[in-house]
Structure formats: C-alpha cells, structure tokens
Amino acid sequence: MEKQNIEAILKDLGVKPVNSGATTGSSQGWINTTGKELVSYSPINGEPLAAVRQAGSADYEAVMAKAQQAFVKFRMMPAPRRGEIIREIASALREKKETLGALVTLETGKIKSEGQGEVQEMIDIADFSVGLSRQLHGLTMHSERPFHRMYEQWHPLGIIGIITAFNFPVAVWSWNALIAAVCGDVNLFKPSSKTPLTAIAVQNIIAPVVDRYDIDGVFNMIIGDRNEVGDPMLNDKRIPLISATGSTGMGIKVATSVAARLGRSLLELGGNNAIIITEDADLDMALRAVLFGAVGTAGQRCTSTRRIIVHRQIKEKFTAMLVHAYGQIRIGHPMADDTLMGPLIDGQAQINMMKAIEAALSQGGKLVYGGGPITVKGLENGSFVTPALIEAENHYSIVQEETFAPIMYIIGYDSFEEALRLHNDVPQGLSSAVFTRSVKYQEEFLSHRGSDCGIANVNIGTSGAEIGGAFGGEKETGGGRESGSDAWKIYMRRQTNTINWGDELPLAQGIVFDVSGRTHE
C-alpha cells in the first residue's frame, strides 16, 4: 500500500504522527502525556506507522479519577438509555468500518476481509448490547415466610479493566466495554503495545457520541508499560474486575495479582485446539475448516486449529489433500484481495515458530509441508512464513504447548475413544470440533465424557465463533466467558432482596428469637 494511502487512513481516523497515550473518552478528553515514545511498526513491511506518547503514573491517576466520577453518574442512567448510546456507537463504527478495518490490517497483518470482519464483530456486539439493555433481568422466588417477597437484582460493578492482545485489537474491547456499558459500568482499556493505533482510532470514533451524551470518563483508554500502567491496574482496588486476554503465563500473573486483593478476573487465555476427523467425515468440508482454522490470522488466534486428530484409515489421504491445499495458499500483502495469509506480528514471532518446528522434529516429528521464513517482493522486512504441517504424537512436549504461529500437528488414531483421549490430553481447553456423519460420534463428542473445551462444534471448525454464544474455555484457558448468552452477569453484582410486607417478624427455618416475652400462638 502506498504511503499516501496509509496517511489517508490514519488521518480519517484521527491518528497523528505522535499521539497521546491516555484519554477519558471525549474529544476533549485526551491527556497531554509526556512518557516514553512507543512506535507502532507494521508487520507487513517493518516500517513505522505512527507513535504514541505513553502514559505515566500521574496520567493513570487522572484517568482513574475521571472514571470514578463518571461511574457515580452513569450507573443511575436507565439501562435502555445506555443502550441508545451503544446504538449510536454502532452507527459510528459502521461509518468508519472500511478505514478502521484497514488500520487493523496495517497494524496486525490480518488479511483485508479479516480486518473488516473484526470491525463487523464490533458492530454485531453493539447491536447485541442494545437489545441486552432491556433484558438485564433477575429472578423472583417464593419465600418460606408468610407475607414476604423475595427476588434478586443486578447492579453495575464499577470500573472494568480491559487488557487486550494484539491479534484482536478492537473486537475484544467491544465484547467487554459495550456490554459492560449497558450494565452501567465504566471501563479502562489497556491495549497491546503492539497495536496501540487501533485503540486510539476507536476512541476517536466514539468521541462524538461521548460528547453528545456528556459521558466523559465512561470509555477510558491508557497506553503504558507494565510498571506505570499494567501492574497498577492489577493491584488497584478501585477496579473490581480485570478482563484480560493473552497467554496462559500472563493470565496466571493477572489471576494471582487480582485474587490477592479479592478482586475478580475474567480470563481468555491460550488454546491448543483440535479437530477430530472421523473415517466417515466429509473430507472436503473438513479441509476447508482446517485451512481457515490453521492459516487464518497466520495462526495467531486463540481459537486457531493446532492439531488435527484423524482416523488412520484416512490419514494418508487427508494429509495429501492438506499438502495440496497448503500449496495453493496465497501469502503476501494482506490488503490484496487474493491474499489468504499475511505476516506474523513481528520477527520474534518468526523466531518462536522456527524454534517450535525444531523442537517438534527433535522430539520425533516429521515435517510434511512448509515451515520457513519467506521474502515477499517489495515487503522484504515483513514477517512472512510458510505455514507448517508436521506429523507428530500428542504427547510431545511442544505439541502440548500453544505456539502462536501457523503450525498444525497431524495425529493419527484408531478408535473414537482414543481420539477423545488425545483431544482432551492437553492443558488448554478453549475450542474443539469434530467432523463426522455419525450421530453417535457427534453425541459422544458433545457428551459429559466428550470434549472438555468451552466451545465444541460439529462439522464446523474451531475458529470464527459467533457473538451470540458465550465465548471462553476451561483448564489453562482461564474459565472466562465473554460476548453472548448471559456473559453480561460477570460485569454486575448480584443482590438478593427480601421484603416483609406483613405485621409480624418470623425468622427463616422456624427459629424463635423473641426477647419481648410475647407468646406466639
């Protein structure tokens, strides 16, 4: 993409050559930060896009003070009214979908359709949140005591801390911030240091809506290092919930720090997702799902397909189909319409991928296809690789890990019972799938002794979840749930209420405790 086109995209989104690293959400809410400069480099060509002046401790305190002040007012706004605000945010995102999607591509290396799809996901979650604003319902229960009424209701928590990863720089923010907003919460957004510009662009897009409704301090963003911003967020008792997306190692730090102050954490961590392919599966359909799952976002999704567990009866045939299909994958500039795979996020990701391949081979694996850095003409400094196919065994230590790169391990099985054991025998538990025509295999996969993941699909791949269902996983994936269903409840506190509308004061469980000397009939 030519330099003037990149400049036009940045200008349209209000991204300057050097940007402030903190805002309280409105067009006037940008803070004049004076910290170290953080440069955002495009993984496509290794060239700088723009820079951010990072926030420091004083900036953090200024943003937190504004957030606290905003929460006192915002929580009293009726939820349907908050939904109207989110509806207008959705409209603002629709207007900027093309340019924001382009910036996602420039800053992450996602192909054009994936960048646009990420913004569409934001719009979809906004629409979902608007409807949710009229459905924050509790329960009514029968009391065991006469002339009593019991019910439960939900109240907003307060300030929600949102820490995101580079691979979904804006969609994951929307999952948390927009649903939390209709719940009456305010948020503090800390984006990945690898993708700060998309976060700045989002704040610029929503700023007119924030101004129009006078809700400065509801949608806050701060960019800074671990010492000045990251750790203070984790240890701040003013933030009752930290929602964090990233590696399992990062999640352990978040969970222990937040738990030490008895706060809540919502964790979306690593995945080691597998697809079981049975002997009766539609192989053409399975092939398409495996390709997108393994190669989409250059294998840098938490839901990326890392393992295929295929029946030995069809393993050789399906492997040959994969090798042929991998040879057709067009790798190049992600803004080109015919590109199917862009670059990894940076050079370190390339190194990590090569180390993982080396480890797999040293542990007994066989490289079937790809697995090396490549140079794309005109993009010599980009972080491009060929996706790798490796025949392996599930117990290899490297197979038990999540490598954030397009590496897929091919594992054979003989019985469906063995396939399920192999599938579940990893520390992570995010997404899973089976391709089969058998109702028996399908139901076994979805049963109590089937997939142990938070997401289990039949004849659909592991990647590309809809926003209507709760998203998240088990085991080392962290146990969090975001997006659809009743995931909104994590952003609220539950309160049980009992009302005595009679003239007596009976106690529960038939307890008698009367110091007045009166006798009850």
Side-chain angles (χ1 to χ4, degrees):
M1 179 176 284
E2 296 180 358
K3 184 176 180 181
Q4 56 265 39
N5 291 335
I6 295 174
E7 290 175 349
I9 290 169
L10 296 175
K11 183 178 179 180
D12 184 61
L13 296 169
V15 180
K16 305 172 185 177
V18 180
N19 301 268
S20 170
T23 179
T24 57
S26 73
S27 58
Q28 306 299 318
W30 290 97
I31 295 173
N32 186 27
T33 52
T34 58
K36 292 171 60 177
E37 203 170 85
L38 173 67
V39 179
S40 177
Y41 296 92
S42 176
I44 300 169
N45 55 17
E47 295 181 3
L49 293 169
V52 180
R53 189 71 68 182
Q54 297 184 84
S57 299
D59 304 315
Y60 175 82
E61 287 301 325
V63 172
M64 282 297 295
K66 194 70 175 181
Q68 286 183 291
Q69 181 183 358
F71 176 61
V72 172
K73 176 182 175 182
F74 192 62
R75 65 183 174 182
M76 297 309 296
M77 181 184 290
R81 179 68 168 166
R82 298 193 293 257
E84 290 179 22
I85 295 172
I86 304 306
R87 178 176 53 80
E88 293 202 22
I89 287 176
S91 297
L93 289 169
R94 284 185 173 92
E95 291 178 6
K96 297 293 184 180
K97 176 181 174 179
E98 184 174 346
T99 49
L100 181 57
L103 182 56
V104 169
T105 292
L106 290 172
E107 200 168 33
T108 68
K110 285 184 175 183
I111 63 173
K112 183 178 178 180
S113 64
E114 286 192 81
Q116 297 294 314
E118 180 162 354
V119 183
Q120 185 60 51
E121 190 168 348
M122 300 174 76
I123 295 166
D124 292 344
I125 203 69
D127 289 345
F128 176 86
S129 300
V130 173
L132 181 64
S133 69
R134 294 181 181 269
Q135 299 181 68
L136 303 175
H137 49 73
L139 296 173
T140 299
M141 295 151 283
H142 288 278
S143 172
E144 68 182 63
R145 291 169 284 186
F147 307 109
H148 282 59
R149 179 164 67 89
M150 288 180 64
Y151 70 98
E152 68 178 27
Q153 60 179 333
W154 297 83
H155 298 295
L157 271 181
I159 302 172
I160 308 302
I162 304 171
I163 301 172
T164 61
F166 75 85
N167 58 333
F168 280 89
V170 289
V172 173
W173 168 83
S174 70
W175 287 4
N176 290 274
L178 301 186
I179 291 180
V182 298
C183 292
D185 298 310
V186 304
N187 72 81
L188 178 59
F189 174 31
K190 181 185 182 301
S192 167
S193 61
K194 296 181 181 181
T195 53
L197 303 184
T198 47
I200 291 168
V202 167
Q203 294 296 315
N204 289 332
I205 290 169
I206 69 174
V209 181
V210 172
D211 290 338
R212 192 153 52 246
Y213 284 91
D214 189 25
I215 54 169
D216 190 20
V218 171
F219 297 101
N220 307 283
M221 185 211 65
I222 191 161
I223 299 169
D225 64 22
R226 173 177 170 179
N227 293 329
E228 299 286 335
V229 174
D231 286 345
M233 282 183 68
L234 301 186
N235 297 313
D236 198 332
K237 291 185 177 181
R238 295 170 294 181
I239 304 178
L241 172 66
I242 294 285
S243 174
T245 302
S247 68
T248 297
M250 180 269 261
I252 291 171
K253 174 177 172 52
V254 171
T256 52
S257 297
V258 175
R261 60 177 174 85
L262 298 182
R264 303 185 194 182
S265 56
L266 194 172
L267 303 175
E268 298 289 357
L269 310 176
N272 197 345
N273 316 294
I275 297 178
I276 297 175
I277 303 174
T278 66
E279 65 274 21
D280 68 341
D282 183 326
L283 297 187
D284 289 330
M285 183 185 292
L287 180 68
R288 294 196 300 273
V290 168
L291 281 176
F292 177 68
V295 175
T297 321
Q300 298 172 117
R301 291 182 176 218
C302 53
T303 55
S304 290
T305 305
R306 310 285 178 202
R307 300 171 295 144
I308 55 167
I309 302 170
V310 57
H311 196 283
R312 294 190 194 279
Q313 181 179 312
I314 58 169
K315 180 173 176 282
E316 184 176 346
K317 177 182 179 180
F318 193 69
T319 300
M321 291 172 66
L322 278 171
V323 169
H324 176 75
Y326 267 49
Q328 311 306 308
I329 294 170
R330 295 176 295 279
I331 303 169
H333 199 303
M335 289 297 286
D337 290 334
D338 62 347
T339 296
L340 292 180
M341 190 177 110
L344 294 174
I345 189 64
D346 55 27
Q348 185 59 52
Q350 275 186 327
I351 293 171
N352 293 343
M353 178 177 175
M354 298 310 116
K355 287 182 177 179
I357 292 173
E358 183 180 342
L361 300 184
S362 68
Q363 292 168 26
K366 176 185 175 183
L367 184 63
V368 177
Y369 181 89
I374 60 170
T375 300
V376 176
K377 186 177 180 180
L379 305 173
E380 284 76 13
N381 293 322
S383 303
F384 293 90
V385 296
T386 53
L389 291 172
I390 300 175
E391 289 189 346
E393 297 296 333
N394 200 68
H395 66 267
Y396 295 171
S397 60
I398 190 62
V399 177
Q400 293 284 307
E401 300 174 9
E402 178 192 45
T403 302
F404 230 48
I407 301 174
M408 189 165 62
Y409 301 107
I410 305 169
I411 301 163
Y413 79 90
D414 292 310
S415 69
F416 195 67
E417 181 180 1
E418 180 190 7
L420 287 175
R421 179 182 60 78
L422 293 169
H423 176 280
N424 293 342
D425 191 20
V426 291
Q428 309 83 1
L430 178 53
S431 187
S432 61
V434 62
F435 274 80
T436 184
R437 290 187 175 99
S438 166
V439 174
K440 183 179 187 301
Y441 288 156
Q442 166 188 313
E443 294 303 317
E444 183 78 1
F445 184 73
L446 300 176
S447 73
H448 297 318
R449 63 183 184 183
S451 168
D452 63 359
C453 295
I455 299 169
N457 298 327
V458 176
N459 295 327
I460 301 172
T462 62
S463 197
E466 298 180 33
I467 61 97
F471 179 90
E474 302 300 322
K475 302 190 292 187
E476 287 189 4
T477 302
R481 292 296 185 276
E482 294 174 321
S483 185
S485 186
D486 64 348
W488 61 269
K489 292 180 179 179
I490 190 69
Y491 306 103
M492 304 195 82
R493 59 182 177 89
R494 187 196 308 250
Q495 184 180 77
T496 301
N497 307 111
T498 306
I499 300 170
N500 178 2
W501 55 276
D503 298 321
E504 299 294 334
L505 190 64
L507 300 177
Q509 293 85 47
I511 295 173
V512 176
F513 189 83
D514 194 339
V515 297
S516 67
R518 294 170 56 195
T519 301
H520 293 278
E521 294 183 2

